[in-house]
Amino acid sequence: MTKIITTIALFICTFFFAQNKYEEGMAKSLGLWGEGKPTEASALMERIASAEKNNWLPNYYVALINTTEGFNPANKDKVNALLEKAQNALDQAMLISPNNPEIMVVQGLIYTVMIVQDPMTNGMKYSPKVMEVYTKAKMIAPENPRVAFSKADFEINGARWTGADVNKLCEEIERSITLFENFKSDVPFYPNWGLDRAKESLKNCKK
């Protein structure tokens, strides 16, 4: 009996130690990103992903970090490598967590970077893909703030080229802000970005 209790205690200690290492690593990686060190943040997150094979979040953040860097004009020469890393990581996240609306939002962002980099070549090719992935995400999670905002924001940017009315889309941006303010998750390090971008987008709507 003592042996069984010792084994259980050892297992529990090992589990909590692993959890603490995971949480420390995630916090450090996100901290590096916040300090403007995306390369270091991505590298650490990749190491965490290799250890956390059943957790979609580390690969999600590898994809998000590199996709975000793809929007940076200073990275124009690196964008293909950034998007390749992002897509590979996102594919791994999808295998772990299929039909995850948070992952779908990042997929939409990857396609959007491709459009931004070469609108003439990629606009017609990837715009339908963006709308397809956002529409699917909205069907799964209509109250997810990142889904609501990302879809409306993409459509607003498209409307600038077509001259379409954006009033209803601006209302959707406003709705997403309410969703952001009410959104909660008990999962540590669950995505919580987007509120600032939504508020900025709403300001531009009202100009």
Side-chain angles (χ1 to χ4, degrees), residues 151-173:
K151 183 174 184 294
D153 190 56
F154 181 79
E155 289 182 275
I156 286 172
N157 286 318
R160 289 175 183 157
W161 295 90
T162 63
D165 183 26
V166 298
N167 284 336
K168 289 201 175 293
L169 295 173
C170 290
E171 289 173 9
E172 184 66 0
I173 296 285

Side-chain angles (χ1 to χ4, degrees), residues 135-157:
T135 299
K136 184 178 179 182
K138 191 171 182 181
M139 288 174 67
I140 295 169
E143 302 303 303
N144 182 295
R146 277 162 296 283
V147 171
F149 166 67
S150 298
K151 183 174 184 294
D153 190 56
F154 181 79
E155 289 182 275
I156 286 172
N157 286 318

Side-chain angles (χ1 to χ4, degrees), residues 172-188:
E172 184 66 0
I173 296 285
E174 195 160 13
R175 185 180 82 90
S176 80
I177 292 173
T178 301
L179 294 177
F180 274 116
E181 291 169 346
N182 295 326
F183 187 86
K184 291 179 183 175
S185 174
D186 295 329
V187 178

Side-chain angles (χ1 to χ4, degrees), residues 5-26:
I5 293 170
T6 303
T7 303
I8 292 171
L10 183 62
F11 172 78
I12 291 170
C13 289
T14 303
F15 172 77
F16 281 111
F17 178 72
Q19 285 299 104
N20 287 339
K21 278 193 74 175
Y22 164 72
E23 291 179 5
E24 286 172 12
M26 291 290 287

Side-chain angles (χ1 to χ4, degrees), residues 49-68:
S50 68
E52 296 283 326
K53 297 188 185 303
N54 296 317
N55 186 342
W56 62 274
L57 280 166
N59 275 309
Y60 166 89
Y61 279 112
V62 173
L64 182 63
I65 290 167
N66 285 280
T67 301
T68 302

Side-chain angles (χ1 to χ4, degrees), residues 26-103:
M26 291 290 287
K28 183 176 180 181
S29 175
L30 295 174
L32 287 168
W33 191 22
E35 292 168 12
K37 299 175 180 176
T39 303
E40 295 89 337
S42 177
L44 177 54
M45 201 65 79
E46 286 177 67
R47 292 198 292 276
I48 298 169
S50 68
E52 296 283 326
K53 297 188 185 303
N54 296 317
N55 186 342
W56 62 274
L57 280 166
N59 275 309
Y60 166 89
Y61 279 112
V62 173
L64 182 63
I65 290 167
N66 285 280
T67 301
T68 302
E69 286 303 295
F71 281 106
N72 185 344
N75 291 328
K76 185 169 175 132
D77 295 337
K78 305 175 189 172
V79 71
N80 290 337
L82 289 167
L83 292 187
E84 183 178 2
K85 187 182 285 288
Q87 189 64 66
N88 287 340
L90 202 67
D91 289 345
Q92 290 301 310
M94 286 180 196
L95 289 174
I96 298 166
S97 181
N99 296 318
N100 184 323
E102 299 287 359
I103 293 173

